[in-house]
Amino acid sequence: MSLGEFDLIARYFDRPVRRAALGIGDDCALLTPLPGMQLAVSCDMLVEGRHFLPTVDPERLGHKALAVNLSDLAACGAEPLAFTLALALPRADEAFLEGFSRGLLALADASGCELVGGDTTRGPLNICISVFGQVPLPATGSGALLRSGARPGDDLYVSGTLGDARLALEVFRGTVSLDGASLDAVRKAMELPQPRIALGMALRGVASSAIDVSDGLLGDLAHVRQRSGVGAVVEVDKLPLSDVMRVQPLNLQRLCTLSGGDDYELLFTAPAEQAVAVAAAGDAAGVPVTRIGRIIERPDAGRVQLIDAQGRSVQHDALSFDHFRT
Ligand code: ADP
Ligand code: MG
């Protein structure tokens, strides 16, 4: 790389530390979680072609690389502390690095999560971030939110709206067309997801389980069902839709909302008596929260039951891609 490895780090990533005991520049960074707290740790990799298109704006890519990691902290109810960045770059492209670091560090500052270290190497563009957060020990009664806590009778909720990122992907695949303003809106959902950190923290001691929706509602709900040993009923007509999604054909809506992916909303459960506390958590975090179904005993079929507003069963095969395409 023409710009040396250490100059590159100094120019784009090294800034004065704020909360960490020691940041970039030594062999390890040092973090000091508050007494009574546990470290919450997660790691996500973004690979060009697989997780993002080569044409993406570098600033948005920087935002998204950190956002998907912060979303994992949010799902556990953890407060962000710090992150590390392992970066493989084909070359030291200063325009790319300038935009990428701007988007990355803006979200880092906005979420109180500082960059404390990393690794930089030449190679096909690949971004791997590890995040560190803190969450109270379970003994406090409001420990980390887990996938395993859902119980029969709990209500099922989701934050924000679902499916817009998938709708944007379909536009790029050429299967759907949208007017300019609608495309901008869904593209923003895909490229600038907002991690639900404040909501996750507000749900500690309120929600019984949580996960972030990264692989699609049904796929991520399957993880909760499996880890909790329960079944679920989803009322498909209650799924929260954006203004753009609301005017799409029903089959496309269902495909995008139920199996879309890249939503980074929180899917969580709570006992019925926590309904007021759930609404208060959404208000406090400034994020809409919608009840979309309930948790039941584990059904033999092992599939989520989908029902419409009339209580009629909705078939899963109605979700296939070809179905709305034809
Ligand atoms: P080492 O070889 O001891 O792991 P390096 O020479 O690779 O350390 O990195 C020097 C310092 O710069 C370390 O503190 C490391 O954490 C940090 N660093 C390297 N790459 C990045 C990056 N992309 N973002 C932030 N910090 C980085
Ligand atoms: Mg190194």
Side-chain angles (χ1 to χ4, degrees), residues 89-150:
L89 297 168
R91 62 206 152 82
D93 176 340
E94 299 203 30
F96 173 86
L97 281 161
E98 200 277 317
F100 178 81
S101 60
R102 185 157 20 92
L104 180 86
L105 296 175
L107 180 60
D109 290 346
S111 47
C113 193
E114 70 187 320
L115 178 57
V116 294
D119 200 21
T120 307
T121 178
R122 193 190 288 269
L125 184 55
N126 187 320
I127 304 154
C128 187
I129 289 180
S130 294
V131 274
F132 305 85
Q134 62 181 358
V135 69
L137 288 162
T140 62
S142 67
L145 302 174
L146 302 176
R147 298 175 179 188
S148 52

Side-chain angles (χ1 to χ4, degrees), residues 2-22:
S2 48
L3 181 66
E5 178 185 338
F6 299 104
D7 294 332
L8 185 159
I9 296 164
R11 186 172 313 169
Y12 296 106
F13 299 114
D14 195 0
R15 299 184 309 163
V17 277
R18 295 188 185 175
R19 303 171 74 188
L22 183 66

